[in-house]
Amino acid sequence: MERKPVFNDWCPGCGNFGILRAEEMALRELGVEPKKIVVVSGIGCSGKIPHFMDIPISGVHTLHGRSIAFATGIKASNPSLEVVVNVGDGDGVGIGMGHFVHLGRRNLDITVIVHNNGVYALTKGQASPTLGRGVKTKSLPRPNINDAVNPLAIALAAGYTFVARGYAYDIVHLKELIKKGIRHKGSAVIEVLQPCPTYNDVNTKEWYDKRVYKLDSDPTWDPVVKREEEAKSKFEKAMMRVMEFGDKIPLGVFYQNEFVPTFEDRLEQNIPNYREYYPAIQPIEIGGIATTKISELIKAKRV
Ligand SMILES: Cc1ncc(C[n+]2csc(CCOP(=O)(O)OP(=O)(O)O)c2C)c(N)n1
Ligand code: SF4
Ligand SMILES: [Mg+2]
């Protein structure tokens, strides 16, 4: 694999630097072999992350709003890979919202990191779907007229089995969340509060520093489902807690449930040798002859 040196053009003070560093540290500390890691991103300032990683991972910088679809194809065709998806808030819960929701119900074993900066930063700061109604950031001629979506409430409702929030300027805490998300068996989402000092002059470092607190500062907070019967009550508590987003903003793990079968487990029910003989290692041929006839190929490979 050839990697060319790339100039990092994020603005000084951008929260993306913290996410990049936390993600690299998490992958290193987990000891995942670099050739087994795929980082998938869409278009946006956030989408540049695979180019800037200081680990020789495979990176796929895809289309705006389509990174989860690409990642689903990558992981389903090669379940031995560790797949991490970095999405912008516009990318992930605007144009890409359909893919975001459907990943949750599949429970495919990948990790999605949402860079929440409240703006479409790469295209000069228009309101993203996470910007609150009445908020006027500097590129907007008037205050935002739409309500914000809460990515984590949607993730819980969609079926994600690991749901967490971190803060780009608390790198060590974020690194631990990313490690937990990657270790988790199933679809994991980590929303990261990511200040954009260039276009979001409302949700700044000073704004967040006054509001964020850690869920685990309360010793009774326990988001992990340890018996299947407690899934419902832990889910309900998580849903209440992710809605707290105002004067106080909680950080940490809201919910984790490994009792739900992953997409890979579900495929294995239908294709017993799926994990050993997954699509990525199957030859593209019929009767020993290479082919580009997809419909015939699908018929020949069907189990
Ligand atoms: C299909 C498509 N629609 C629109 C665009 C233009 N576009 C590029 S980046 C972007 C918004 C990026 O915002 P976000 O996803 O929040 O990422 P950020 O730059 O804030 O990290 C848009 C609308 C595009 N590249 N492709
Ligand atoms: S425009 Fe905002 S999100 Fe993009 S690099 Fe600059 S500070 Fe970061
Ligand atoms: Mg954004």
Side-chain angles (χ1 to χ4, degrees):
M1 183 174 51
E2 189 197 2
R3 277 173 73 87
K4 298 206 168 75
V6 185
F7 171 70
N8 187 322
D9 60 356
W10 284 331
C11 313
C14 175
N16 283 327
F17 285 104
I19 303 178
L20 170 65
R21 206 51 80 218
E23 196 167 324
E24 284 171 349
M25 284 162 66
L27 289 165
R28 282 208 185 91
E29 288 181 19
L30 286 172
V32 190
E33 240 189 298
K35 69 172 190 194
K36 286 277 174 197
I37 303 169
V38 186
V39 176
V40 187
S41 68
I43 304 299
C45 295
S46 46
K48 299 176 186 180
I49 205 162
H51 302 278
F52 302 155
M53 288 211 103
D54 198 18
I55 308 177
I57 48 114
S58 298
V60 192
H61 188 175
T62 68
L63 305 174
H64 188 51
R66 299 291 175 263
S67 47
I68 290 177
F70 273 82
T72 301
I74 292 165
K75 181 71 181 183
S77 58
N78 188 346
S80 76
L81 296 172
E82 199 59 76
V83 180
V84 180
V85 193
N86 287 84
V87 292
D89 41 9
D91 186 33
V93 293
I95 188 172
M97 180 65 103
H99 299 294
F100 183 78
V101 167
H102 290 286
L103 177 62
R105 52 184 278 273
R106 294 195 173 107
N107 201 30
L108 182 76
D109 186 15
I110 66 177
T111 305
V112 178
I113 299 174
V114 183
H115 299 224
N116 183 356
N117 56 14
V119 288
Y120 289 133
L122 190 74
T123 50
K124 306 267 181 274
Q126 301 86 349
S128 88
T130 59
L131 194 74
R133 178 155 47 99
V135 178
K136 188 192 163 313
T137 49
K138 66 188 195 198
S139 293
L140 304 183
R142 295 196 185 86
N144 184 20
I145 59 171
N146 295 314
D147 279 312
V149 294
N150 181 322
L152 297 188
I154 288 168
L156 281 167
Y160 281 78
T161 49
F162 180 94
V163 173
R165 183 186 290 126
Y167 177 38
Y169 294 147
D170 191 342
I171 297 176
V172 174
H173 181 253
L174 177 58
K175 172 205 59 170
E176 290 304 325
L177 292 179
I178 297 175
K179 279 165 69 179
K180 284 184 185 160
I182 291 174
R183 273 199 217 107
H184 172 75
K185 291 278 151 264
S187 293
V189 63
I190 302 158
E191 176 194 10
V192 186
L193 307 173
Q194 181 245 309
C196 164
T198 300
Y199 292 114
N200 190 333
D201 52 345
V202 176
N203 309 116
T204 58
K205 179 177 184 301
E206 294 66 35
W207 191 92
Y208 281 122
D209 283 351
K210 271 190 241 143
R211 289 166 171 82
V212 292
Y213 74 95
K214 308 255 169 70
L215 283 165
D216 55 17
S217 58
D218 169 2
T220 65
W221 179 255
D222 179 8
V224 182
V225 175
K226 300 192 187 73
R227 288 174 296 114
E228 234 172 329
E229 310 82 81
E230 60 182 27
K232 186 170 178 288
S233 66
K234 294 224 160 159
F235 175 89
E236 286 167 358
K237 277 191 195 139
M239 197 49 123
M240 295 292 288
R241 216 59 193 262
V242 297
M243 296 309 288
E244 185 184 5
F245 199 99
D247 290 343
K248 292 183 88 191
I249 304 176
L251 302 178
V253 179
F254 292 90
Y255 184 68
Q256 181 169 19
N257 181 359
E258 289 192 323
F259 288 96
V260 181
T262 63
F263 186 65
E264 298 88 317
D265 296 333
R266 300 174 202 181
L267 282 182
E268 211 170 19
Q269 295 280 311
N270 290 344
I271 312 167
N273 65 351
Y274 165 66
R275 277 199 164 86
E276 301 84 61
Y277 197 50
Y278 44 84
I281 55 170
Q282 293 184 27
I284 303 173
E285 49 79 29
I286 300 172
I289 298 167
T291 181
T292 53
K293 292 182 183 145
I294 300 297
S295 48
E296 286 178 23
L297 195 65
I298 290 170
K299 248 186 259 158
K301 299 285 174 193
R302 191 165 287 159
V303 284

